[in-house]
Each structure stands twice: as structure tokens, then as C-alpha cells.
Amino acid sequence: MTAPAKTIARTATRVSPWRPPLLRSLPLRLVVFAICALWTIPTLGLLVTSVRNPELISTTGWWTALFNPFAANQWTLGNYSEVIASGGMGPAFLNSLIVTIPSTVIPITIAAFAAYAFAWIPFRGRGILFTIVVGLLVVPIQMSLIPVLKLYSGASLYGTFLGIWLAHTGFGLPLAIFLLYNFISQLPRDLFESAAIDGASHMQSFIRIALPLSVPALGAFAIFQFLWVWNDLLVALTFLGPSTDLRVMPTALYALLGSRGGQWQLLTAGAFVTMALPLLVFIVLQRAFVRGILAGSVKS
């Protein structure tokens, strides 16, 4: 091939000039940064208001504190100490732990057994029963509050921790079974067939094979259920009632809104006390949450 022909061939196959990966992704990074900044502005305003002196909150906007951050009378932590001591956030924090931990462990335990049964134990009516469980996902919680509350009144479960544990378990089971079934049903069949040949029962296969391999899915639902129960106001207010001894964090914040609605420094401080633990749990276990949600979604 002559030199001009080689030049023409190189020109025809030439691609666009090479650019560093950072420059190619720079527009996308800027858009994501702008969205994150806009999303964070309200939370930043709440945080600034929660640590400002009450006298300044009523006279200036929260953004003015950012232009003069080193003023001597600008910041205070007294709002948090006041809301924990007199706002009832301290006992409510303990009540939230008492409600949230069993309300997370109980549905996970039941759903794990149910998901394994739907996936690997053939029985009559399995498909219809699983369809009913999945159909419960679209039933609004509000439709079942009054019937369940009537049952609780007759069984003396209203205003008890046992009652709200059972309520959160019932409301969380359909999603838990659905998520765990999607994962457990994708486990290799050869593992369970080999275990059956070796004489293992379904209980042994469940404990020694299904559970260890389902840790990502179990962890993902545990995080999801924990965050949902911790931040729940409707179910707690319905089944625990207005008793101050049984208040959880959302109901304590709701009561604070009614009694001190004009004291913004206490409301914002109470909001951050309420979201502190869920935020910590999500930040620490974010990778596990995403991994568990995606687990079993793609069949290899």
C-alpha cells in the first residue's frame, strides 16, 4: 500500500480525540453535585437552627449564621439538652429501641422460614398462597388499622409493646417474604439435592445452607425494617396510644410539635435526635443494604 493510501486509511479509521476520564464525566459530576446540594439545603437549615440561640432564630434567617459563624452568641447546645431532658426524648429513645429491635427480628425469622418453604418445599396450594402474600403488598396499612385495633381491644393488646410488635410483624411480613424468596429461590438446586442425598432434613438444609447464603438479603431487610419501624408514627400512635410512658421517638416529636410549636430550636433539635440513629445505621450499612437489595435480582 502506498503512503497516500495509508494516510487515507488512518484518517478513515480515526476516532474522536482521547479525553481523560475525569473530563468526560465532569458534566455528570456537576449535575449530581448540584442535585445533592439542593437536596441537602433543607437539612442544613434544620441543623443550623437546632444549634442557634433562640433570640437569633426569631429575628434572622438560619443562613445568616453561615456568614458570621464565629460570633460569640451564635451557637449553643442547650437546645439538645433541653429537648432530651424536658421534651421526653430520653425515655422515648429507649422505648423506640424496645419497639424496633423485636419488630425487626420477629418478621425476619418468620419470613426466612416461609421463604424457604415457598422456594424448596412442594406442598398443595403453594402458588396460590404465595400469590396472596404478594398481593398483600398493595394493601394500604390504613385499611387494616381499625379492624386490627378492634381485635386488640378485645384481646387486651392495646397500649402494650407486644401489640405493636405483632402489628409491625404483620405489616412487614409480605415484603420480607417476597424479598427473601427472590434470593433463596435462586440458590443452586444442587446444594439442596446433595444435602437430601446425604440424609439432611429440610430444617437442616435451611439452617446449614439457606441461612448462611442468605445473609445479604437478611441484612438488607433488617436495615429496611429497622428504619421503617423507627420512623413510624401512624402505627405507634394507633396501637400504643397517647400514654407518655409508651411514647417512641416519632410520637414524642409529634407531642413536642403540639406543645412547643413555636420554639423552632427545640423542634429542630428533636428532629435531629430522632434521625441520629437511623442515619448512623444507614451510613454504616449502606453497602450491605444495596448489596442485599440487588441480591437475587439477576440470575447468573
Side-chain angles (χ1 to χ4, degrees), residues 221-243:
F221 179 76
I223 298 170
F224 183 84
Q225 180 75 358
F226 182 91
L227 297 178
W228 180 70
V229 175
W230 182 275
N231 295 318
D232 171 74
L233 172 63
L234 179 62
V235 176
L237 196 60
T238 302
F239 295 109
L240 288 180
S243 174

Side-chain angles (χ1 to χ4, degrees), residues 262-285:
Q263 298 178 343
W264 293 103
Q265 73 281 2
L266 298 183
L267 295 179
T268 53
F272 268 91
V273 171
T274 302
M275 71 174 68
L277 185 59
L279 188 62
L280 178 63
V281 169
F282 184 78
I283 291 176
V284 173
L285 303 176

Side-chain angles (χ1 to χ4, degrees), residues 50-295:
S50 67
V51 293
R52 293 189 75 197
N53 279 322
E55 297 80 6
L56 299 177
I57 295 176
S58 58
T59 57
T60 58
W62 64 266
W63 55 89
T64 59
L66 302 179
F67 297 103
N68 190 19
F70 300 105
N73 62 338
Q74 188 74 255
W75 313 106
T76 179
L77 294 178
N79 301 330
Y80 285 91
S81 60
E82 182 178 354
V83 77
I84 292 175
S86 62
M89 286 292 178
F93 186 87
L94 297 178
N95 289 338
S96 290
L97 289 178
I98 295 174
V99 170
T100 305
I101 294 176
S103 298
T104 303
V105 174
I106 295 174
I108 288 180
T109 304
I110 298 175
F113 282 100
Y116 177 85
F118 283 126
W120 298 108
I121 301 178
F123 57 90
R124 183 174 298 179
R126 179 175 61 173
I128 297 176
L129 186 59
F130 184 73
T131 303
I132 295 175
V133 172
V134 175
L136 292 176
L137 290 172
V138 301
V139 178
I141 294 179
Q142 293 82 354
M143 293 182 59
S144 60
L145 291 180
I146 294 178
V148 174
L149 190 60
K150 289 183 178 180
L151 293 175
Y152 274 26
S153 299
S156 301
L157 291 175
Y158 175 75
T160 63
F161 287 128
L162 177 59
I164 197 169
W165 293 343
L166 296 176
H168 281 303
T169 298
F171 295 145
L173 269 179
L175 179 61
I177 295 174
F178 179 72
L179 289 179
L180 296 181
Y181 171 82
N182 287 338
F183 185 85
I184 294 177
S185 63
Q186 300 299 324
L187 296 177
R189 180 180 293 273
D190 297 341
L191 295 176
F192 299 97
E193 291 179 349
S194 300
I197 292 174
D198 293 337
S201 62
H202 281 295
M203 178 62 69
Q204 293 173 329
S205 298
F206 171 74
I207 295 176
R208 298 184 180 181
I209 298 177
L211 277 185
L213 295 178
S214 304
V215 170
L218 293 171
F221 179 76
I223 298 170
F224 183 84
Q225 180 75 358
F226 182 91
L227 297 178
W228 180 70
V229 175
W230 182 275
N231 295 318
D232 171 74
L233 172 63
L234 179 62
V235 176
L237 196 60
T238 302
F239 295 109
L240 288 180
S243 174
T244 57
D245 297 332
L246 299 177
R247 280 180 181 172
V248 292
M249 297 295 284
T251 54
L253 186 62
Y254 177 76
L256 192 66
L257 177 64
S259 61
R260 305 187 182 185
Q263 298 178 343
W264 293 103
Q265 73 281 2
L266 298 183
L267 295 179
T268 53
F272 268 91
V273 171
T274 302
M275 71 174 68
L277 185 59
L279 188 62
L280 178 63
V281 169
F282 184 78
I283 291 176
V284 173
L285 303 176
Q286 181 180 8
R287 291 181 180 270
F289 179 75
V290 176
R291 179 187 173 192
I293 288 295
L294 297 178

Side-chain angles (χ1 to χ4, degrees), residues 10-83:
R10 286 196 300 267
T11 304
T13 58
R14 183 177 299 171
V15 296
S16 59
W18 180 84
R19 291 185 300 172
L22 181 61
L23 293 179
R24 283 182 291 178
S25 61
L26 184 60
L28 179 60
R29 292 173 182 267
L30 293 177
V31 171
V32 172
F33 178 79
I35 294 176
C36 292
L38 291 175
W39 189 270
T40 309
I41 286 176
T43 306
L44 177 62
L46 290 177
L47 178 61
V48 173
T49 304
S50 67
V51 293
R52 293 189 75 197
N53 279 322
E55 297 80 6
L56 299 177
I57 295 176
S58 58
T59 57
T60 58
W62 64 266
W63 55 89
T64 59
L66 302 179
F67 297 103
N68 190 19
F70 300 105
N73 62 338
Q74 188 74 255
W75 313 106
T76 179
L77 294 178
N79 301 330
Y80 285 91
S81 60
E82 182 178 354
V83 77

